[in-house]
Amino acid sequence: MAPACHVFPASELEARIQLTGDGRLRKGGRIDLSACELFSMVQYECQIDRPEISNSPVRCWPVQRWFRRCQDKKGSFTVETTAWEGSKTKEADGGGETS
């Protein structure tokens, strides 16, 4: 079974990655999230126009998700940064943070 997924605002992400999943401080010093390798994945969100009709069209839209691969003393770990990347862009544009 997968571990529980904790929900928190994107503004807390940099602080949250300093701890392991069991709440211990990561070894190897402070992790700079913006220095971690950035990569992305595209998934699709789909909806059936009229589910009650068997041959109803299905419409799908791409959803871009962003991740950072970071390194600590124990090895690498990956964290989804989609909301965090968006909040960085808004801050750079003067728009403030999002969660």
Side-chain angles (χ1 to χ4, degrees):
M1 185 163 83
C5 183
H6 301 283
V7 178
F8 52 88
S11 60
E12 292 180 18
L13 185 59
E14 290 178 278
R16 295 276 188 135
I17 66 160
Q18 305 309 317
L19 304 174
T20 62
D22 59 4
R24 295 187 193 143
L25 191 61
R26 289 190 186 276
K27 296 184 179 188
R30 184 155 179 82
I31 306 229
D32 177 4
L33 187 57
S34 61
C36 297
E37 176 188 7
L38 177 66
F39 60 101
S40 68
M41 167 176 76
V42 176
Q43 291 184 309
Y44 291 87
E45 181 177 339
C46 300
Q47 292 181 348
I48 302 170
D49 283 350
R50 298 187 61 200
E52 67 278 2
I53 299 174
S54 64
N55 63 348
S56 180
V58 176
R59 302 193 192 285
C60 298
W61 299 267
V63 177
Q64 184 88 35
R65 295 178 67 188
W66 294 94
F67 299 84
R68 296 270 179 166
R69 184 176 296 128
C70 302
Q71 191 80 25
D72 66 7
K73 282 265 192 200
K74 287 191 167 186
S76 66
F77 64 95
T78 302
V79 60
E80 182 171 2
T81 59
T82 303
W84 184 78
E85 303 293 343
S87 69
K88 284 187 351 178
T89 302
K90 286 194 178 217
E91 286 175 14
D93 293 341
E97 289 187 17
T98 62
S99 55

